Amino acid sequence: MSNNRKEIDPYDYIEYFKRNTGLMVSMDKNGKPNVMALDWKTIEEFQGNIVIRAQVAYTRYTYECLTEGVNEFSVNIPSDKIYDAIDIAGSYSGRNVDKFKKAGIQTIPGINIKVPTIKDSLLSYECQIIHSSKSNMSSHHYFYGIIVIAFASNKLIK
Ligand SMILES: Cc1cc2nc3c(=O)[nH]c(=O)nc-3n(C[C@H](O)[C@H](O)[C@H](O)COP(=O)(O)O)c2cc1C
């Protein structure tokens, strides 16, 4: 497959997914993507579907994109090549900074969703939100996204 990645099952490489910080991509109501660093994420079953459950604070621009923009997101585990992107994605807000440009992050158009995934990722998951709820932390909200397709880099598979 192109982009040096192969389709995988959602639970493949789950230990890798759990151990590493993710880059969550969302999209605002005008179709502009945004990226933030995401540590609080799990892969689990929810209502018979395999989902990523992501915990996002109400103050994040990402929260606004997920609730008022496109009802989808991608989660990407970066390779060393773009590891510095975590600092930028996790310390600036998409309200006033184009973090893709600032961090030199390139995207790949979504295969099954409008939201793109991130090039140079070891793992990427395209998700459609099916549910959201208050989290056990009053400052955060849970988003449950069905994993519609997942990819692993050939680097990880080898
Ligand atoms: C390593 C790291 C992990 C983070 N994990 C989360 C997380 O799981 N949930 C969250 O709401 N914010 C998390 N953050 C904070 C957001 O990434 C950060 O506030 C970001 O600037 C929000 O961007 P936005 O306003 O464009 O959405 C994390 C930050 C870092 C550096």
Side-chain angles (χ1 to χ4, degrees):
M1 173 166 235
S2 60
N3 294 306
N4 297 316
R5 61 184 194 173
K6 285 198 180 73
E7 191 176 339
I8 55 166
D9 288 329
Y11 283 117
D12 293 346
Y13 304 100
I14 186 159
E15 289 308 320
Y16 217 91
F17 171 87
K18 284 202 256 182
R19 270 205 308 273
N20 291 284
T21 299
L23 292 171
M24 182 186 211
V25 183
S26 55
M27 189 173 264
D28 73 13
K29 57 185 173 207
N30 300 314
K32 189 166 175 273
N34 182 44
V35 57
M36 78 160 211
L38 178 80
D39 260 343
W40 288 340
K41 55 181 175 29
T42 59
I43 293 182
E44 60 190 46
E45 276 169 52
F46 178 77
Q47 295 177 345
N49 301 291
I50 304 175
V51 300
I52 289 182
R53 175 165 55 93
Q55 199 169 182
V56 178
Y58 293 103
T59 51
R60 315 287 186 238
Y61 185 55
T62 298
Y63 177 81
E64 198 175 313
C65 294
L66 295 172
T67 52
E68 295 173 25
V70 174
N71 205 30
E72 302 168 340
F73 59 83
S74 74
V75 175
N76 306 266
I77 305 296
S79 68
D80 288 349
K81 193 169 171 193
I82 54 163
Y83 196 75
D84 292 347
I86 290 173
D87 278 349
I88 291 173
S91 54
Y92 291 86
S93 176
R95 282 193 187 89
N96 34 48
V97 173
D98 180 340
K99 292 187 262 184
F100 295 95
K101 212 181 257 178
K102 193 166 183 71
I105 300 171
Q106 292 180 282
T107 57
I108 302 171
I111 303 295
N112 290 329
I113 63 173
K114 290 194 200 88
V115 175
T117 53
I118 292 180
K119 204 177 160 198
D120 300 313
S121 296
L122 293 177
L123 295 167
S124 294
Y125 305 83
E126 296 187 3
C127 300
Q128 275 167 348
I129 297 171
I130 48 161
H131 182 71
S132 72
S133 66
K134 283 183 183 159
S135 94
N136 46 13
M137 285 173 65
S138 59
S139 53
H140 284 65
H141 202 80
Y142 288 133
F143 291 91
Y144 297 74
I146 296 183
I147 299 174
V148 290
I149 196 163
F151 298 98
S153 158
N154 292 343
K155 282 186 198 151
L156 199 62
I157 291 170
K158 262 182 236 161

